[in-house]
Amino acid sequence: MPRKPSGNSRHDYFRRILCNIFGQEMDNGLLPGELPWIGQLVQDICYYNVKGYINFTQNQL
């Protein structure tokens, strides 16, 4: 099934907002300024959580 372009834009919009929030919190000293750690956190939230959920729901069918 082909992906809808609107679904990709929503995901991209979410990712941009998330990165903006993390950037602001890094600037304010609320999060460490370690880019590899922050990058992995964003990857975990935006990709691996969804991938794990999809695998979970497919295995339940």
Side-chain angles (χ1 to χ4, degrees):
M1 173 186 262
R3 293 183 178 185
K4 296 179 184 178
S6 63
N8 291 338
S9 350
R10 280 184 293 218
H11 182 265
D12 188 52
Y13 186 62
F14 169 78
R15 185 185 53 77
R16 288 173 187 233
I17 291 172
L18 183 68
C19 290
N20 240 357
I21 291 170
F22 283 177
Q24 289 172 354
E25 291 190 356
M26 287 169 64
D27 288 344
N28 293 333
L30 299 172
L31 285 174
E34 301 172 20
L35 290 180
W37 183 77
I38 293 292
Q40 185 62 53
L41 187 60
V42 170
Q43 252 187 336
D44 289 344
I45 293 170
C46 294
Y47 177 73
Y48 291 110
N49 284 352
V50 173
K51 183 179 177 191
Y53 177 76
I54 290 170
N55 287 338
F56 173 75
T57 56
Q58 285 179 351
N59 291 334
Q60 298 299 317
L61 297 175

